[in-house]
Amino acid sequence: MTSPTLIRQVAVFDGTQQLPGQDVLIDGGLIEAIGPNLAVPPGATVVDGTGKTLLPGLIDAHVHTTSATQLRQSLVFGVTTELDMGGEPGLSRRLRAVARKRDDVADLRIATTGATAPGGHPHQLVEIGMLKPFPTVEGPDHAAAFVADRVADGADHLKIFIEDGTVAGKPMPTMSDETVIALVAAAHAHGLRTAAHTWTRSAVRQAIACGVDILAHPPSDGPSDQELIEAVAAAGGTVVATLPPLAGMSASSPEFDLAQDPRLRPYADPEWLAGLDRIRAIDPGRRMGPLGVRTSDAADASVRMFRLGVPLLAGTDGTGGDHPTTHGISYHGELGLLVAAGLTPAEALTAATAAPADAFGLDDRGRVAAGLRADLVLVNGNPLDDITVLRDITTIWRNGTIVDRSACPSEQELS
């Protein structure tokens, strides 16, 4: 049992607003109290917060997690919770179990197998050996059984793939409206939220028409007209920005700059850094993915939806391998891109904390408030003035435990 920690005279971003000159007491894995001039409990460690800002742990609302070291990489950059959007069920359950018993990796919520048509996205990855064969949904009559199987797998939410292959130039089978509606109804009957893969404007239209809760991507295959933006708002939708993978499809990816930032580079995965070097060496101008998508279209649609009241969440679509977008460090690129697109730093930070907690029903985190989990990030300076200040992390608490950012445990040690 760790002793209490009292952070003195710190500016607090509580998930929606900044509160100057606060004391924050951490005890037993929880935020015990917040306010001015709190009493120092016996045996407490006192941290001077002068000139610093305390924030909720960051929540990445779109990742694909395949290892415990990825959870570790997220945590050392301040991401205390990852929301996985599709993976092999057994592996996903194992990683979630690791996250539940350890405080030196990010927490994890899982979708397991996403719903798609036979031969639909991402079946093309099975064909090249990147994924194992997975169950699909043949029609609306199969939706309830598919969702029941995902519940049996341990899914925390349901991923639905709406992807016709337009952006990749390769036609793919898709599910009918009736099938998607049946999936949403079955998921809601089990208390699961639904998130849909929606890179295109047509996919977004189908998702909102069928009652999907969350757009796991904004439309990025061209400029979105006002009618589509208003339709998402009217449907009560939520959107995850996921700008880094789009920017990461070219050598102009922000990851190349993130990798050189002295506040971030010491904690970056050496294999990821080596991967960036390989990309530069092979062809600094080559794209890393589909040609029919643009960061500017996605950013514009995200911000316009947000201005009409659509909750906006920060997410990276972090994966691994040679793609520039990865776990943890890429999240800082997402927030920078959101601010460049027109959000204030405070709005971007809400998209990183309170908004994803609300959207996914994580009512024990995402804010700095008494009674919530002590998943916290302390940084030098004020990120509400400059979002890149968030990179200057001094301390991370996961479940009330200070994270040793210098430690480099192996996959075997974490598992």
Side-chain angles (χ1 to χ4, degrees):
M1 189 77 175
T2 58
S3 61
T5 297
L6 183 65
I7 308 169
R8 282 283 199 200
Q9 282 298 299
V10 67
V12 172
F13 178 76
D14 68 359
T16 59
Q17 62 181 335
Q18 189 171 49
L19 308 172
Q22 300 294 300
D23 293 351
V24 179
L25 178 62
I26 302 170
D27 193 10
L30 299 176
I31 301 168
E32 185 70 21
I34 176 173
N37 304 314
L38 296 181
V40 181
T45 299
V46 177
V47 176
D48 183 7
T50 305
K52 298 178 172 65
T53 302
L54 186 72
L55 307 99
L58 310 175
I59 301 172
D60 192 329
H62 190 144
V63 296
H64 296 279
T65 308
T66 58
S67 70
T69 50
Q70 291 173 342
L71 292 172
R72 172 66 185 174
Q73 276 294 301
S74 279
L75 185 61
V76 299
F77 290 105
V79 177
T80 55
T81 302
E82 286 195 333
L83 303 176
D84 187 271
M85 287 294 153
E88 194 279 319
L91 176 59
S92 294
R93 286 194 303 271
R94 182 180 68 78
L95 293 174
R96 184 177 60 185
V98 169
R100 285 176 173 172
K101 70 181 181 181
R102 302 186 68 109
D103 293 327
D104 56 353
V105 299
D107 199 8
L108 182 66
R109 296 292 183 273
I110 62 175
T112 73
T113 304
T116 192
H121 180 74
H123 186 266
Q124 72 275 16
L125 301 181
V126 176
E127 297 174 355
I128 62 175
M130 288 183 64
L131 289 180
K132 297 178 182 178
F134 53 84
T136 56
V137 187
E138 295 182 10
D141 293 343
H142 296 90
F146 180 89
V147 173
D149 287 344
R150 303 294 73 75
V151 172
D153 283 340
D156 297 301
H157 45 266
L158 180 69
K159 177 70 174 291
I160 298 172
F161 289 101
I162 303 178
E163 171 63 77
D164 63 9
T166 298
V167 297
K170 180 182 179 181
M172 298 178 188
T174 58
M175 295 180 292
S176 67
D177 286 0
E178 292 78 12
T179 300
V180 177
I181 290 169
L183 285 166
V184 172
H188 289 172
H190 285 281
L192 302 185
R193 289 168 170 81
T194 56
H197 173 101
T198 48
W199 277 130
T200 65
R201 290 163 289 180
S202 61
V204 169
R205 290 187 181 95
Q206 182 178 14
I208 60 173
C210 296
V212 169
D213 301 301
I214 298 163
L215 305 177
H217 302 286
S220 55
D221 64 332
S224 293
D225 59 35
Q226 189 63 18
E227 181 182 1
L228 179 59
I229 301 298
E230 292 176 358
V232 174
T238 295
V239 63
V240 188
T242 60
L243 302 180
L246 292 171
M249 289 170 185
S250 73
S252 62
S253 165
E255 270 78 1
F256 292 107
D257 291 330
L258 295 172
Q260 300 305 317
D261 192 316
R263 298 167 293 185
L264 302 175
R265 187 177 179 87
Y267 307 102
D269 178 6
E271 292 187 7
W272 177 74
L273 292 172
L276 292 183
D277 290 340
R278 285 194 297 272
I279 292 170
R280 287 183 187 275
I282 293 169
D283 181 356
R286 78 183 179 108
R287 290 182 64 87
M288 299 297 297
L291 297 176
V293 290
R294 294 197 310 175
T295 312
S296 57
D297 290 331
D300 174 71
S302 297
V303 174
R304 288 164 62 203
M305 289 177 188
F306 175 72
R307 295 300 176 209
L308 287 185
V310 174
L312 179 60
L313 318 183
T316 60
D317 203 4
T319 52
D322 278 343
H323 196 288
T325 304
T326 191
H327 295 250
I329 193 170
S330 292
Y331 200 81
H332 293 271
E334 166 83 331
L335 298 181
L337 288 168
L338 286 173
V339 171
L343 264 63
T344 67
E347 290 168 341
L349 291 171
T350 295
T353 56
D358 290 347
F360 284 87
L362 305 176
D363 56 7
D364 62 345
R365 68 196 72 190
R367 289 177 169 81
V368 181
L372 300 190
R373 285 170 57 106
D375 290 353
L376 300 165
V377 180
L378 184 66
V379 301
N380 286 315
N382 185 2
L384 277 76
D385 293 334
D386 175 2
I387 195 64
T388 67
V389 166
L390 190 62
R391 304 176 187 181
D392 194 3
I393 296 172
T394 69
T395 313
I396 299 167
W397 288 267
R398 159 74 153 86
N399 205 28
T401 300
I402 289 180
V403 176
D404 179 1
R405 300 180 77 202
S406 66
C408 297
S410 67
E411 183 72 18
Q412 291 72 26
E413 289 170 325
L414 290 172
S415 299

